Amino acid sequence: MPRKQNKRALPARDWQLHFDAFDLQEALSELVQAHQFRDRKATYRHGVSVTQCYALISVVAHWPMPLNKLAAELYLDKSTTSRVVDSLVEKGYVRRARDPEDARALSIEPTEKGIALRSRIQRDLVRETRNLIADDSPAVRRAAIRAVARLARLASKNFVRNGPAGCAKE
């Protein structure tokens, strides 16, 4: 979508920043949409939803994991996260166990089957990503990784602090 901006609406020093922000937003939206489609395709091929896959990734990376922490990682409420975990338990990918830090609480941990599934999905996604960046030089690849990782960290902090754009905080 072409940008139609009025340079006079902003101070002269800010117009390039505004245009760059607009262009970056457009590029990120396109990238996110492509990855969402890719993730749906990859995860459904393995019999799980994208949300179930994200939950499994988090549990494998941080187990044992309390439900509240998983909910925060997924940006979901506790009841929705509990349903996601229930579906993963039914499929044999995770199990509930006593939380080592609070005997009254439960945490989630992966099963061997869950760890194996997470590895297969990761292998498929890395192979697809490798194909995307194969023609770039190592320097370009490393710079892209640093830039995307930085933007992801900043966006995550901003999202958690401020909520989604255009939405009232509860």
Side-chain angles (χ1 to χ4, degrees), residues 96-110:
R96 288 185 172 84
R98 287 281 165 220
D99 190 311
E101 295 179 17
D102 181 355
R104 297 168 295 158
L106 293 176
S107 62
I108 293 79
E109 55 187 46

Side-chain angles (χ1 to χ4, degrees), residues 78-153:
K78 190 176 172 183
S79 64
T80 302
T81 303
S82 186
R83 286 192 298 276
V84 171
V85 169
D86 288 345
S87 65
L88 290 171
V89 168
E90 285 176 27
K91 293 177 181 190
Y93 297 128
V94 301
R95 67 179 155 260
R96 288 185 172 84
R98 287 281 165 220
D99 190 311
E101 295 179 17
D102 181 355
R104 297 168 295 158
L106 293 176
S107 62
I108 293 79
E109 55 187 46
T111 62
E112 287 184 29
K113 182 178 174 183
I115 293 169
L117 175 64
R118 197 290 185 234
S119 294
R120 285 192 308 274
I121 292 171
Q122 179 74 12
R123 183 188 62 236
D124 291 351
L125 296 176
V126 168
R127 183 178 51 244
E128 289 178 10
T129 302
R130 181 184 166 126
N131 292 338
L132 291 176
I133 64 173
D135 293 336
D136 294 327
S137 72
V140 168
R141 294 191 306 252
R142 297 306 307 166
I145 293 164
R146 283 190 303 275
V148 171
R150 179 179 170 277
L151 287 171
R153 281 190 308 274

Side-chain angles (χ1 to χ4, degrees), residues 10-167:
L10 295 171
R13 68 183 190 283
D14 292 342
W15 72 266
Q16 189 60 53
L17 174 60
H18 179 75
F19 286 159
D20 289 347
F22 183 91
D23 289 344
L24 180 59
Q25 172 56 38
E26 293 289 306
L28 287 173
S29 290
E30 189 174 337
L31 179 64
V32 166
Q33 285 179 331
H35 272 273
Q36 286 174 335
F37 176 75
R38 179 203 68 167
D39 288 352
R40 277 193 308 271
K41 211 170 105 183
T43 60
Y44 290 154
R45 179 172 50 235
H46 292 284
V48 293
S49 71
V50 173
T51 304
Q52 290 169 337
C53 182
Y54 290 159
L56 184 59
I57 288 168
S58 291
V59 170
V60 169
H62 305 290
W63 65 289
M65 187 173 215
L67 187 66
N68 289 339
K69 183 177 178 186
L70 180 59
E73 290 256 336
L74 297 175
Y75 300 106
L76 296 173
D77 62 45
K78 190 176 172 183
S79 64
T80 302
T81 303
S82 186
R83 286 192 298 276
V84 171
V85 169
D86 288 345
S87 65
L88 290 171
V89 168
E90 285 176 27
K91 293 177 181 190
Y93 297 128
V94 301
R95 67 179 155 260
R96 288 185 172 84
R98 287 281 165 220
D99 190 311
E101 295 179 17
D102 181 355
R104 297 168 295 158
L106 293 176
S107 62
I108 293 79
E109 55 187 46
T111 62
E112 287 184 29
K113 182 178 174 183
I115 293 169
L117 175 64
R118 197 290 185 234
S119 294
R120 285 192 308 274
I121 292 171
Q122 179 74 12
R123 183 188 62 236
D124 291 351
L125 296 176
V126 168
R127 183 178 51 244
E128 289 178 10
T129 302
R130 181 184 166 126
N131 292 338
L132 291 176
I133 64 173
D135 293 336
D136 294 327
S137 72
V140 168
R141 294 191 306 252
R142 297 306 307 166
I145 293 164
R146 283 190 303 275
V148 171
R150 179 179 170 277
L151 287 171
R153 281 190 308 274
L154 291 171
S156 179
K157 286 178 187 174
N158 188 53
F159 180 79
V160 169
R161 184 176 58 242
N162 299 324
C167 295

